């Protein structure tokens, strides 16, 4: 980046100074970026401009903490995400040489000062080819600024350079620099703001208040080829509730406490991942961080070892008692998932997710019958199964409260 700014400054000075009357700067070789000691030992012949870069530091006034998002080609579902570029102050010491003729040197300094003051921002026509290709590139020019730390004490600077004090101009070129990696991720276009069984107390058309928003985290899970993966289990560490991705790889979790949480992402055939994210406080969905998670497939040896570990994973020996876990899926006769239905196993209760999956943990005995509280129908007995269990109720009944039968006691 620095050499591109050097080349652009050379183009600016040469382009503007070569057009003045009785121009003394007409060739690119008359503008250099050498240490002053080199010119003292070997004085140049004829008019000469030297820009010595002696200080580089970040300009903290322009620092941005937000990450930028931009579309990825023609794919509407993919975006590139990266940190905002930083801005560097490049401090140059500008000296002119004209064979020791003060009148020529002072005139040339005046012309340079006029060029830099008129420019303010480096014109695009004088930018190097590489800077022109980057739409984020800009170079701000500030000249003769004694309050800048790099030019606050020119006498000490000349002493450090080991040369005699000369008339100089201090130039600060503030240029953008982006060394950060660009990450391509799937774009999460929607997030559910509030979920729950049944309908709102004031009717289905009642607008939801942003102050009661309960979404804690949401994202998309993909494989290494970028394809979305359905059925991936996503769980917040320390909490029992498990969300599963839909056919587009999308998931969301509700009602987690605000702050940093760790998500555990599991799927058969892939390595388990832990992802840290920030849960926004209630009513601040603008602070939600959409996640793009890419799973890595297991190797053959890892898959065999994991299969052995999980063969007896449903039974956990705690010394004196054995506890079990139970997972299944409910759907209506039409094939649509029975989403957000309350399911009871003995004294334990849970709610299915958006795809109809339910999970019970720490069961003390084998469960042979579950009870599903189907909206508009009532209690329905369900036998746990490894495959999807179809509810013996019409889906229409679950969405038509006026036709619903009274629940069985």
């Amino acid at each position: 980046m620095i050499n591109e700014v050097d080349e652009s400054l050379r183009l600016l000075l040469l382009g503007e100074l070569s057009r003045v009357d009785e121009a003394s700067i007409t060739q690119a070789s008359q503008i250099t970026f050498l240490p002053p000691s080199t010119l003292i030992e070997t004085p140049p012949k004829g008019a000469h401009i030297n820009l010595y870069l002696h200080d580089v530091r970040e300009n903290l006034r322009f620092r941005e903490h937000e990450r930028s998002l931009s579309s990825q080609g023609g794919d509407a579902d993919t975006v590139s995400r990266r940190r905002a570029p930083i801005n560097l102050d490049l401090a140059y010491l500008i000296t002119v040489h004209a064979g020791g003729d003060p009148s020529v040197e002072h005139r040339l300094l005046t012309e340079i000062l006029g060029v830099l003051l008129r420019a303010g921002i480096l014109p695009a026509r004088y930018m190097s080819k590489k800077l022109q290709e980057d739409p984020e590139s800009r170079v701000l020019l500030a000249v003769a600024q004694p309050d800048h730390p790099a030019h606050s004490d020119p006498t000490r600077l000349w002493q450090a350079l080991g040369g005699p004090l000369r008339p100089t101009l201090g130039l600060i070129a503030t240029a953008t620099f982006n060394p950060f990696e660009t990450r391509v991720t799937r774009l999460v276009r929607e997030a559910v703001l509030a979920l729950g069984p049944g309908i709102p107390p004031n009717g289905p058309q009642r607008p939801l208040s942003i102050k009661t928003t309960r979404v804690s985290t949401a994202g998309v899970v993909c494989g290494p080829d970028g394809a979305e993966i359905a059925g991936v289990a996503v769980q917040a560490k320390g909490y029992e509730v498990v969300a599963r991705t839909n056919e587009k790889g999308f998931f969301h979790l509700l009602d987690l406490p605000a702050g940093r949480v760790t998500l555990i992402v599991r799927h058969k055939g892939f390595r388990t991942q832990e992802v840290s994210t920030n849960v926004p406080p209630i009513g601040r969905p603008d602070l939600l961080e959409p996640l793009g998670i890419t799973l890595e497939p297991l190797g053959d040896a890892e898959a065999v070892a994991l299969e052995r570990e999980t063969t007896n994973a449903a039974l956990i020996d705690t010394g004196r008692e054995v506890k079990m876990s139970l997972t299944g899926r409910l759907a209506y006769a039409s094939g649509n998932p029975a989403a957000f239905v309350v399911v009871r196993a003995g004294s334990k209760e849970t709610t299915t997710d958006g795809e109809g999956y339910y999970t019970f943990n720490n069961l003390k005995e084998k469960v042979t019958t579950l009870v599903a509280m189907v909206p508009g129908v009532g209690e329905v007995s369900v036998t746990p199964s490894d495959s999807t269990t179809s509810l013996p109720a019409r889906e229409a009944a679950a969405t038509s409260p006026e036709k619903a039968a009274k629940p069985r006691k």
Side-chain angles (χ1 to χ4, degrees):
M1 184 274 295
I2 295 178
N3 61 315
E4 299 296 332
V5 175
D6 289 348
E7 180 61 24
S8 300
L9 291 175
R10 176 185 275 122
L11 293 174
L12 170 66
L13 294 176
L14 179 61
E16 295 295 318
L17 296 178
S18 61
R19 298 190 301 174
V20 302
D21 296 335
E22 301 179 1
S24 53
I25 300 297
T26 58
Q27 299 179 9
S29 59
Q30 292 178 274
I31 303 174
T32 57
F33 300 85
L34 301 172
S37 57
T38 302
L39 298 176
I40 294 173
E41 296 173 359
T42 309
K45 297 179 181 180
H48 190 92
I49 301 174
N50 189 66
L51 294 87
Y52 175 60
L53 177 65
H54 64 91
D55 188 90
V56 178
R57 64 183 70 195
E58 182 184 358
N59 190 317
L60 297 179
R61 292 180 303 164
F62 298 131
R63 175 179 283 187
E64 299 179 18
H65 298 279
E66 299 295 329
R67 296 180 181 269
S68 61
L69 295 176
S70 59
S71 60
Q72 187 71 13
D75 189 352
D77 294 329
T78 305
V79 294
S80 58
R81 183 170 180 260
R82 68 175 179 177
R83 282 182 55 184
I86 64 174
N87 292 269
L88 295 180
D89 282 351
L90 309 181
Y92 292 89
L93 199 64
I94 303 178
T95 56
V96 297
H97 304 265
D101 187 342
S103 61
V104 177
E105 292 179 353
H106 292 178
R107 177 177 59 82
L108 192 52
L109 277 174
T110 302
E111 294 171 354
I112 295 172
L113 182 61
V115 169
L116 297 176
L117 288 175
R118 286 192 298 270
I121 299 178
L122 185 67
R125 65 180 182 277
Y126 290 126
M127 284 187 175
S128 66
K129 183 177 180 181
K130 189 172 182 179
L131 290 183
Q132 290 180 2
E133 293 173 350
D134 186 355
E136 294 184 347
S137 289
R138 65 171 184 177
V139 181
L140 306 180
L141 303 176
V143 64
Q145 302 291 318
D147 57 334
H148 194 279
H151 293 147
S152 59
D153 193 349
T155 302
R156 179 175 297 178
L157 177 60
W158 275 106
Q159 290 175 347
L161 295 174
L165 187 64
R166 295 182 59 86
T168 60
L169 287 176
L171 170 65
I172 303 297
T174 304
T176 56
F177 179 54
N178 198 334
F180 305 114
E181 176 186 4
T182 300
R183 298 186 61 185
V184 177
T185 183
R186 291 286 179 180
L187 179 64
V188 177
R189 293 187 176 277
E190 60 181 355
V192 181
L193 298 183
L195 289 175
I199 60 175
N202 297 329
Q205 302 303 320
R206 181 179 67 86
L208 295 172
S209 170
I210 197 170
K211 294 182 180 180
T212 60
T213 297
R214 298 188 295 159
V215 169
S216 299
T217 184
V220 173
V221 181
C222 300
D225 58 353
E228 299 91 347
I229 305 177
V232 178
V234 182
Q235 181 179 13
K237 183 179 287 187
Y239 299 86
E240 291 189 3
V241 63
V242 177
R244 291 188 181 272
T245 58
N246 63 14
E247 67 278 2
K248 294 185 178 180
F250 176 77
F251 72 89
H252 68 273
L253 288 170
L254 306 176
D255 294 334
L256 297 176
R260 302 300 297 183
V261 299
T262 299
L263 303 181
I264 304 174
V265 186
R266 299 186 180 93
H267 195 58
K268 187 175 182 179
F270 293 87
R271 292 191 179 95
T272 298
Q273 286 195 25
E274 292 191 0
V275 180
S276 179
T277 187
N278 187 61
V279 174
I282 293 177
R284 290 301 306 274
D286 56 307
L287 299 180
L288 185 71
E289 297 180 354
L291 299 174
I293 303 172
T294 302
L295 296 182
E296 298 179 0
L298 289 171
D300 293 341
E302 293 175 303
V304 171
L306 183 61
E307 186 69 23
R308 291 174 178 172
E309 286 181 15
T310 57
T311 299
N312 299 317
L315 297 178
I316 306 172
D317 187 358
T318 59
R320 297 188 61 182
E321 63 177 343
V322 175
K323 297 183 179 181
M324 296 182 291
S325 61
L326 177 64
T327 300
R329 183 174 184 269
L330 302 180
Y332 295 108
S334 64
N336 292 331
F340 314 116
V341 171
V342 176
V343 183
R344 190 168 63 245
S347 60
K348 284 185 172 288
E349 218 175 67
T350 187
T351 303
T352 61
D353 63 14
E355 293 300 307
Y357 287 94
Y358 60 85
T359 299
F360 289 96
N361 294 312
N362 298 327
L363 297 174
K364 295 184 179 181
E365 58 185 12
K366 185 176 180 180
V367 175
T368 58
T369 303
L370 302 175
V371 177
M373 303 293 295
V374 181
V377 175
E379 296 183 357
V380 176
S381 297
V382 176
T383 301
S385 173
D386 293 336
S387 60
T388 301
T389 302
S390 178
L391 293 177
R394 291 185 304 168
E395 188 175 355
T399 57
S400 302
E402 66 277 6
K403 298 181 181 179
K406 293 183 179 180
R408 299 201 310 267
K409 296 297 185 179

